[in-house]
Amino acid sequence: ERERERERENMEQALVQQALEQNLMGIAKQMEDSIDDELHRMENLDEDDLDRLREKRLLALKKQQKKRQEWLRRGHGEYREVEEKEFFNEMKKEDRMVCHFYRNNWPCQVMDKHLGLLAAKHVETKFVKVNAEKAPFLTERLKVWMLPTLALIKNEKTTDYVVGFDELGGVDDFQTETLAMRLVAAGLIFEQDEYKQNTNANQPTRSVRSSIRSYKKTDSDEDSDFDD
């Protein structure tokens, strides 16, 4: 009876293996056919087709360069401090903006370092900082209660926050890539391959020296935005 049981198990394993191999062969065949079709299409492009393809790519590059120049003109590519009264003009018509509410302490200086690096690398997003102690209206409106806090703003709406370092490993020597991936997840910056490669390497080890500053919260539980 045990011998029959073993034979049945072996047959089942053989059938599963066979089905798996057939499935893999089918997937490989589909990939080969797709590649062959693409190569065939490329081989059959005439000179006019190639010219149109080059023109399309050139137009895309020109559009991208024009957009980049517009971003730089609007203050992207650098990490700047703005006053409370300047905040709304800075935010106006921005698709993506990261605002660091800070005070003069060590955790906020750590955040400054990473944001400066990201601002230079991600011109698609505006990066600014506001001294929380000099911005009582904004801190109350956005319910900022701990520093550092990043307000993540999309299309003039605050859609998310990064509060302290808890989401960044709870330590003060986290990698810039760790913060970058958090901003990618929130849709605030475009993803780059290096973030995937480096996020899990060299995990931070020091304990964070946190700084908490309380602010009076508003009674409203509505989403944080800047509508009247």
Side-chain angles (χ1 to χ4, degrees), residues 79-84 87 98-102 104 108 112 115 127-132:
Y79 178 47
R80 298 176 293 111
E81 180 164 3
V82 299
E83 296 182 3
E84 184 177 58
F87 178 84
V98 176
C99 181
H100 175 203
F101 287 90
Y102 82 97
N104 292 320
C108 292
D112 279 340
L115 292 174
F127 288 82
V128 299
K129 66 177 181 176
V130 172
N131 188 328

Side-chain angles (χ1 to χ4, degrees), residues 8 23 70 87 103 114 122 125 132 142 158 168-169 209 212:
R8 185 167 62 252
N23 187 38
E70 173 66 14
F87 178 84
R103 66 185 302 195
H114 295 295
H122 290 276
T125 302
L142 298 183
T158 303
L168 307 174
R209 285 171 278 180
I212 299 177

Side-chain angles (χ1 to χ4, degrees), residues 54-166:
R54 293 190 191 99
E55 183 178 356
K56 185 178 180 180
R57 290 177 176 174
L58 183 60
L59 287 174
L61 287 173
K62 287 182 178 179
K63 184 178 180 180
Q64 183 179 7
Q65 181 62 22
K66 184 178 179 180
K67 189 66 175 177
R68 180 184 175 86
Q69 291 174 350
E70 173 66 14
W71 283 333
L72 294 176
R73 186 186 67 81
R74 295 176 62 87
H76 294 218
E78 57 182 341
Y79 178 47
R80 298 176 293 111
E81 180 164 3
V82 299
E83 296 182 3
E84 184 177 58
K85 63 183 180 181
E86 301 170 328
F87 178 84
F88 295 101
N89 283 334
E90 291 287 343
M91 181 186 65
K92 190 175 181 180
K93 295 183 179 180
E94 290 293 342
D95 295 332
R96 294 166 297 274
M97 188 170 89
V98 176
C99 181
H100 175 203
F101 287 90
Y102 82 97
R103 66 185 302 195
N104 292 320
N105 62 15
W106 170 252
C108 292
Q109 291 171 8
V110 171
M111 190 66 79
D112 279 340
K113 179 190 71 172
H114 295 295
L115 292 174
L117 294 172
L118 291 175
K121 186 175 293 186
H122 290 276
V123 296
E124 72 273 13
T125 302
K126 177 178 283 188
F127 288 82
V128 299
K129 66 177 181 176
V130 172
N131 188 328
E133 296 176 324
K134 298 180 181 180
F137 172 78
L138 285 176
T139 54
E140 182 170 343
R141 187 69 178 268
L142 298 183
K143 305 180 179 69
V144 175
W145 61 275
M146 179 179 180
L147 303 177
T149 285
L150 304 185
L152 309 184
I153 302 165
K154 296 174 66 177
N155 300 314
E156 303 183 31
K157 296 281 186 178
T158 303
T159 59
D160 202 354
Y161 295 90
V162 178
V163 180
F165 293 162
D166 285 349

